Amino acid sequence: MSIPLTPSSPAPEIVCVGETMALITPVGAALTTAETATIGLAGAESNVTAGLALSGHRAAWASRLGDDPLGDRIASELSRRGVELWVERDTDAPTGVMFKDPGADGSSVYYYRRGSAASAMEPGFLSTAHLAGVRIVHTTGITPALSDTCLRMVDQLFVDARTAGAAVSFDVNDRRPLWSREHAAATLARLADAADITFVGRDEAERIWGTVTPDEIRAFLPNCPLLVVKDGDVGATAFAGDDEPVFVPAPRVDVVEPVGAGDAFASGFLAATLEERPLHERLSAGHAAAARVLVTHADMPPVD
């Protein structure tokens, strides 16, 4: 049984669609020995939404949560950050959970999201009527990897968003544990080339498609009107139509933890896009937003 979402009116500027999970992180030890842990949240699309809200834009996060305490906790935290919630609550399926297991060589993650409320999103979850007045609809390559119904939902979302007059933004965001490399490579290439704005990391493009340079990625994705290739601490390159590419180097920061930086970059770039700023300013805004996250342990920038 579901408690349906109730979109706000008038419409927000941007809607970000995807799963957010409860994040369990042990304190001071690995999962095998830790006696205490913290509870947070983890979700690429909600990270982007929170960044947009922090920048002063009306941004909604659309998803499904279990009708449970973890779902309440996620909804409460995002609301505190100024995010508008377009959330359907599921009285049968649970909120997904992710465990982080810190180690000397970095952290491992363990997902408990199969059968989650969000994995039951299906075509029509957001209809054209829901999206009327929205300027940008954003999602990532994580969402179609959750289930067959989520993949079909994303395909329909691209159609319905455009019918409603919104641009489609897509961050490749490949997650290896969620699906096979072959399925991911084909599906992500199709969606990335079909979006109006696509974000992709140079390293992940090399991993899944074998493309090494930004120019090779552009040749592989020729139909996307605005392609943004992120290359870590080197910088980011934007390809807009047949214009000359625009490159902006990344600022130098003392990195504490890289998790969440890509989502922050997308939020900064999309905020500047909503403000109709030039491409080089959009890239600079993306770098600035990413830098604010890189210097913290959090996936989202602080609001206090």
Side-chain angles (χ1 to χ4, degrees):
M1 178 180 175
S2 296
I3 303 169
L5 58 87
T6 53
S8 54
S9 182
E13 296 171 271
I14 185 167
V15 176
C16 302
V17 188
E19 181 172 37
T20 294
M21 300 167 289
L23 171 62
I24 313 299
T25 306
V27 176
L31 281 172
T32 52
T33 56
E35 297 184 358
T36 59
T38 61
I39 303 176
L41 56 91
E45 297 85 0
S46 57
N47 288 347
V48 174
T49 321
L52 283 154
L54 185 62
S55 69
H57 290 278
R58 284 194 61 206
W61 172 67
S63 190
R64 303 183 82 248
L65 291 168
D67 189 22
D68 51 35
L70 293 178
D72 294 342
R73 187 170 184 135
I74 289 169
S76 176
E77 175 60 18
L78 292 175
S79 293
R80 184 181 76 85
R81 289 175 171 272
V83 170
E84 298 182 24
L85 302 181
W86 288 15
V87 174
E88 190 173 87
R89 303 299 294 268
D90 194 316
T91 57
D92 298 316
T95 301
V97 179
M98 170 182 165
F99 287 83
K100 183 181 287 188
D101 191 17
D105 297 324
S107 296
S108 300
V109 296
Y110 298 91
Y111 295 124
Y112 295 83
R113 66 200 311 177
R114 186 173 300 159
S116 69
S119 71
M121 287 187 288
E122 58 187 9
F125 171 66
L126 291 182
S127 67
T128 300
H130 284 132
L131 298 171
V134 174
R135 293 175 60 189
I136 297 175
V137 174
H138 176 78
T139 191
T140 78
I142 300 169
T143 305
L146 297 179
S147 66
D148 289 341
T149 62
C150 282
L151 173 55
R152 297 199 303 273
M153 184 274 293
V154 170
D155 282 330
Q156 188 62 46
L157 182 64
F158 274 43
V159 174
D160 290 342
R162 291 199 174 104
T163 301
V168 175
S169 170
F170 181 73
D171 192 336
V172 170
N173 228 330
D174 176 47
R175 289 292 189 271
R176 276 300 74 240
L178 294 180
W179 50 357
S180 72
R181 180 173 180 173
E182 293 75 16
H183 190 194
T187 303
L188 295 174
R190 177 174 60 81
L191 293 171
D193 206 30
D196 298 297
I197 304 170
T198 289
F199 302 92
V200 63
R202 190 209 58 76
D203 55 345
E204 70 178 343
E206 182 176 5
R207 182 177 68 245
I208 57 176
W209 299 322
T211 50
V212 177
T213 67
D215 286 339
E216 288 181 12
I217 298 169
R218 182 46 163 173
F220 185 74
L221 303 172
N223 298 309
C224 175
L226 179 51
L227 172 66
V228 180
V229 179
K230 303 168 292 180
D231 193 5
D233 59 3
V234 175
T237 305
F239 297 85
D242 295 325
D243 295 342
E244 286 295 312
V246 177
F247 172 78
V248 174
R252 298 302 174 198
V253 296
D254 294 325
V255 176
V256 173
E257 187 172 323
V259 177
D263 302 329
F265 181 97
S267 74
F269 187 96
L270 291 172
T273 299
L274 290 168
E275 295 156 14
E276 300 181 352
R277 290 158 62 182
L279 265 183
H280 72 277
E281 292 187 15
R282 300 186 203 184
L283 292 169
S284 294
H287 286 317
R292 288 192 290 272
V293 170
L294 285 167
V295 296
T296 74
H297 285 288
D299 290 6
M300 297 181 184
V303 294
D304 299 322

